[in-house]
Amino acid sequence: SPILFMLSSWTNPTYLRFPNHLGKAFLSARPFPHLVLPDFFLRSKAEALVHALKREHWVLKDSDLFRFHQTQDLRSSSGKMIREFYSFFSSRGLLEYISLLTNTPKTRPLQSIDAAGQTYADGDYLLPHDDRLEGRKIAYVINLTKGFRRKDGGQLDFFAVDAKAGYRGHPTKVVKSFTPRFNTLFLFQVSKKSFHQVREVISAKKRVSIGGWFHG
């Protein structure tokens, strides 16, 4: 199809063969709907993307909830490779594909994205939160880090939620933990259950990613 042909310029062909299967896996995942897609992009694209990201302007974000460095929204980047990535990742074809993977109803399709680079260095972290803001449907993280081990920290953790703690719920314990792996795409549904964190980095290594949301 034209959509799959367009996606093939960036995407590992493995993921273009079985989107329906992935959609079922997304819905059945616990503690909330999510997918972990290793080697999602063509290796050459992922390598070029991480090199281009290093040339962006980075600003320290520091509050009680988090500490890390972040770029501006990549939509406004002047870098050729970053612009190419943003054009692809916000394209109608990619939005339709992500809608398929995440069982987003056709009556309320994904419409747009935002995207920014994040770097977590030694001592940086992101405390538990659920990501809920108006319009955010699917959260995503593109890991662009090499050489991370469990002992380095920086894991993306998913929490179970105590449903008795009121409408918003309350994160209780980590039930899934993912050490950063290069060229892995995470997708998860934003909801009152989607509590997650980035564990503190305890290493001289830097945890580099692109993250944001699909809006609908």
Side-chain angles (χ1 to χ4, degrees):
S1 74
I3 289 176
L4 295 187
F5 177 76
M6 186 278 295
L7 295 178
S8 68
S9 65
W10 268 83
T11 311
N12 181 336
T14 302
Y15 290 113
L16 303 181
R17 296 183 193 132
F18 307 112
N20 291 332
H21 163 72
L22 291 171
K24 291 174 184 175
F26 177 84
L27 283 182
S28 63
R30 297 292 178 265
F32 44 80
H34 69 272
L35 281 174
V36 183
L37 305 174
D39 301 315
F40 182 77
F41 297 103
L42 298 176
R43 182 81 183 192
S44 60
K45 294 290 192 183
E47 296 279 6
L49 191 55
V50 71
H51 286 300
L53 201 57
K54 290 176 181 177
R55 294 193 291 269
E56 293 294 303
H57 178 63
W58 296 83
V59 175
L60 176 64
K61 301 288 185 177
D62 192 356
S63 75
D64 291 343
L65 179 65
F66 51 75
R67 179 188 163 89
F68 55 84
H69 281 79
Q70 182 167 287
T71 68
Q72 62 186 350
D73 193 305
L74 295 178
R75 182 178 192 169
S76 57
S77 173
S78 58
K80 184 175 182 293
M81 185 65 194
I82 297 295
R83 292 175 73 87
E84 184 184 329
F85 160 77
Y86 192 92
S87 178
F88 164 72
F89 214 62
S90 61
S91 67
R92 177 54 47 199
L94 191 280
L95 290 170
E96 289 182 13
Y97 178 73
I98 297 297
S99 295
L100 196 63
L101 293 191
T102 57
N103 278 270
T104 300
K106 291 183 178 178
T107 52
R108 300 183 64 191
L110 301 176
Q111 302 278 5
S112 63
I113 70 163
D114 52 35
Q118 292 92 26
T119 295
Y120 292 77
D122 194 8
D124 290 351
Y125 61 91
L126 174 61
L127 294 180
H129 63 291
D130 64 13
D131 266 6
R132 285 199 297 164
L133 274 180
E134 185 68 32
R136 291 178 179 175
K137 288 275 195 71
I138 304 294
Y140 72 89
V141 179
I142 301 165
N143 274 323
L144 294 169
T145 301
K146 293 182 181 178
F148 253 68
R149 298 182 181 179
R150 190 165 187 81
K151 66 180 182 179
D152 298 316
Q155 286 86 358
L156 175 62
D157 292 332
F158 289 169
F159 287 82
V161 169
D162 178 5
K164 298 174 185 175
Y167 174 69
R168 287 186 67 86
H170 181 75
T172 54
K173 62 179 180 180
V174 173
V175 291
K176 285 194 176 176
S177 186
F178 305 96
T179 298
R181 295 279 181 267
F182 183 70
N183 195 16
T184 297
L185 172 65
F186 287 87
L187 300 168
F188 61 89
Q189 190 175 74
V190 176
S191 74
K192 61 186 178 182
K193 291 184 176 181
S194 57
F195 279 94
H196 59 285
Q197 70 177 6
V198 175
R199 205 175 295 188
E200 182 180 353
V201 173
I202 45 175
S203 164
K205 299 173 185 175
K206 290 187 176 179
R207 179 193 191 275
V208 181
S209 62
I210 293 173
W213 298 270
F214 292 94
H215 298 264

